Amino acid sequence: MLLEVGSRSGRYGVNMEPGLAGKLSALLNDARIPARRFIVSNTTVWRFHESAFTGVTAEDPILLPDGERFKNLQTVGRIYDALIRARADRASALIAIGGGVLGDTAGFAAATYLRGIPVVQVPTTLLAQVDSSIGGKVGVNHALGKNLIGAFHPPAAVIIDPILLGTLPRREFRAGLYEVIKYGVIASAPLFQRVAATLPALFNRDPDALMPIVSESCRIKAAVVEQDEHETGIRRTLNLGHTAGHALEAVTKYRRFRHGEAVAYGMLVAAEIAVARGTMAAADREALATLIAKMGPLPAIADVPIDEILEAITHDKKIVAGQLHYVLPTRLGGCEVVSDVTKTEIERALRTLIPVAAVSN
Ligand SMILES: NC(=O)c1ccc[n+]([C@@H]2O[C@H](COP(=O)([O-])OP(=O)(O)OC[C@H]3O[C@@H](n4cnc5c(N)ncnc54)[C@H](O)[C@@H]3O)[C@@H](O)[C@H]2O)c1
Ligand SMILES: [Zn+2]
C-alpha cells in the first residue's frame, strides 16, 4: 500500500504498483469490499482493458458512453437502472474503472444508491490517478454548469496501476502531467525537477518513471485533502492555475483546451502576477515556462479576448463572499493564497501571455 488517507467516513488505502489491475480481486478482498461487485467503466476503457480485469466479478459490467457530455444525471440514472435490475443491495459495491469523468459519475451513483454503497476507484488516466480518484469529491454536470451536482463520498479504496496509462492518448497524458507540475510548484521542488529530468521516459509511459511522480502527487493531494476535506483553507492551494484556467475553459466553451492545458496557462498567469509583485523570483517563473514549453505546444490563446477572460474570472465559483482567493507561487515548491489580487494585475499578466491584445466587440 502506498498510503492511507483519513476522511470523515474512515480511512482508505491508496495502492499503487505496475500490474495491480491483474490482482484486483485479491486487493478488494483485502480491503473487505462487499462481495457483490459491479464494474462501472466506459466503452473506450473497456475496449482497451477488459482483459486485465477478467475474473473480478460475475456481474455484467455497467458500460457508459465515453465523454464529458455524458457526465450527467441521465447517465447516473443508467447506473441506477442496472443496479436495480440486478437487485444490488447494501452488500454491493461499485468498481469504477476509468478517467475522471467515469470516476466522478460512478462515485456519485455510489454515493446516492440506497443512500450510499462503497465505491472503489481504479483510475485509468493520469489526471484521475493523481487527482480525481483521491479526495472523495464526486458529481456530475448540469446543463447550466460543470460539477454543479455532487457529494462527498470517499472511496473505499483506490487502486492505481500505471501500466493502464500505456494506452492513453498523448494529449490526455500531457493534460494530466500539467497537474503533476502543479503539485511540484505548490509543494515539491524535487517533484518538479524529476518531471523535468524524466520527460522522455514519462512520455514513453515507462512505469519506473511514472511510479515516483504519480506516488508523490498522490501523497501531496492526500495530505492536503486530509487536512481540509471541504476546501476552506489549504485545499485551495490545489487550485493553482485554476482561476485563469477555468476562465479560459469557459470562454472557449470547453472545446479548445483539455483542463490541464488551461491550467498550464493559468499557472503561467499566476507566476507572472507573483513575479510582478516581487513575491517570486523571475528565474522560477522561467523554469516553469521552460518546462511547460518543453512538453509541447498548447492550444493557441492569442485570439481569446482578455476582457472575456477577466469577466469569467470574476464569475468563478471559487469566489467566496465577493473575495477572489488567488493561489500564487512563491517559488518552485511553495505557494500562498492571497485575496488582494486586483483585476489590473490579472490583466497585466494576461497581456504578457496574450501580447496582441484581443478585444471582443
Ligand atoms: N473529483 C475530483 O476531485 C476531480 C478532480 C479533477 C477533475 N475531476 C473531473 O475529472 C474529469 C476529467 O477527467 P479526465 O481528464 O480523466 O478525462 P476523461 O475521464 O474524459 O478521460 C479522458 C479520455 O481518455 C479515455 N481513457 C481513459 N483511460 C484510458 C486509458 N487507459 N487508455 C485510453 N483511453 C483512456 C477516456 O475514455 C476519455 O476519452 C472532469 O469531469 C473533471 O471535472 C474531478
Ligand atoms: Zn485541475
Side-chain angles (χ1 to χ4, degrees):
M1 188 182 296
L2 175 71
L3 59 124
E4 268 201 351
V5 187
S7 80
R8 59 168 184 191
S9 52
R11 302 182 72 74
Y12 57 93
V14 179
N15 302 267
M16 175 158 86
E17 195 186 291
L20 268 197
K23 303 176 190 165
L24 191 55
S25 285
L27 284 167
L28 298 177
N29 294 341
D30 288 350
R32 298 175 183 281
I33 303 303
R36 281 199 79 191
R37 297 164 185 167
F38 292 85
I39 286 177
V40 184
S41 191
N42 77 28
T43 46
T44 309
V45 172
W46 208 236
R47 181 157 40 84
F48 283 118
H49 296 292
E50 175 176 5
S51 61
F53 297 100
T54 43
V56 168
T57 174
E59 310 291 345
D60 288 335
I62 302 169
L63 296 184
L64 308 179
D66 182 12
E68 180 83 37
R69 70 184 185 285
F70 296 109
K71 182 177 156 178
N72 57 31
L73 284 176
Q74 202 188 334
T75 303
V76 173
R78 289 175 59 161
I79 302 175
Y80 297 148
D81 292 348
L83 293 173
I84 294 164
R85 263 190 245 112
R87 299 180 200 284
D89 58 12
R90 278 175 201 283
S92 309
L94 299 191
I95 316 296
I97 303 174
V101 167
L102 190 284
D104 280 11
T105 310
F108 184 74
T112 45
Y113 183 69
L114 301 179
R115 290 192 200 85
I117 60 172
V119 63
V120 174
Q121 296 286 355
V122 185
T124 64
T125 63
L126 182 55
L127 178 120
Q129 294 194 348
V130 301
D131 189 352
S132 60
S133 65
I134 297 170
K137 280 190 187 177
V138 294
V140 294
N141 302 326
H142 184 273
L144 298 179
K146 267 182 64 86
N147 293 328
L148 292 181
I149 299 152
F152 274 101
H153 190 57
V158 181
I159 290 161
I160 301 177
D161 182 349
I163 303 281
L164 298 172
L165 302 181
T167 54
L168 196 61
R170 189 178 167 94
R171 189 175 177 195
E172 295 295 345
F173 182 77
R174 213 150 51 112
L177 209 47
Y178 297 116
E179 297 274 6
V180 172
I181 292 172
K182 176 197 78 178
Y183 290 123
V185 174
I186 63 173
S188 169
L191 174 59
F192 182 94
Q193 305 299 0
R194 190 187 273 277
V195 173
T198 58
L199 216 45
L202 289 170
F203 276 119
N204 283 336
R205 322 296 159 86
D206 175 350
D208 293 335
L210 286 166
M211 282 294 287
I213 69 122
V214 174
S215 58
E216 187 57 19
S217 299
C218 289
R219 264 191 214 102
I220 294 169
K221 169 119 192 202
V224 170
V225 299
E226 233 175 22
Q227 290 174 59
D228 180 16
E229 226 178 357
H230 295 274
E231 193 162 346
T232 45
I234 187 175
R235 193 163 180 161
R236 287 202 182 111
T237 62
L238 298 174
N239 291 329
L240 173 71
H242 285 60
T243 307
H246 282 147
L248 278 171
E249 287 183 276
V251 168
T252 55
K253 310 221 159 21
Y254 298 94
R255 285 191 201 125
R256 185 177 303 190
F257 301 101
R258 293 299 299 147
H259 169 71
E261 294 169 340
V263 169
Y265 276 122
M267 289 192 287
L268 294 172
V269 172
E272 189 58 44
I273 295 171
V275 170
R277 291 186 154 210
T279 52
M280 183 167 86
D284 287 341
R285 177 201 49 200
E286 285 320 305
L288 175 63
T290 302
L291 177 53
I292 288 173
K294 219 171 131 185
M295 285 175 56
L298 290 166
I301 51 165
D303 60 328
V304 185
I306 285 181
D307 51 353
E308 287 183 24
I309 303 172
L310 288 169
E311 176 67 19
I313 286 175
T314 47
H315 276 126
D316 192 293
K317 70 171 178 192
K318 302 257 145 50
I319 297 182
V320 183
Q323 276 209 334
L324 175 63
H325 295 278
Y326 218 112
V327 188
L328 297 180
T330 51
R331 59 192 159 85
L332 296 178
C335 64
E336 59 181 351
V337 182
V338 299
S339 48
D340 62 346
V341 171
T342 63
K343 213 171 158 180
T344 315
E345 285 180 279
I346 303 171
E347 185 173 352
R348 259 196 224 123
L350 283 168
R351 286 205 191 287
T352 63
L353 293 177
I354 311 178
V356 190
V359 180
S360 70
N361 43 55

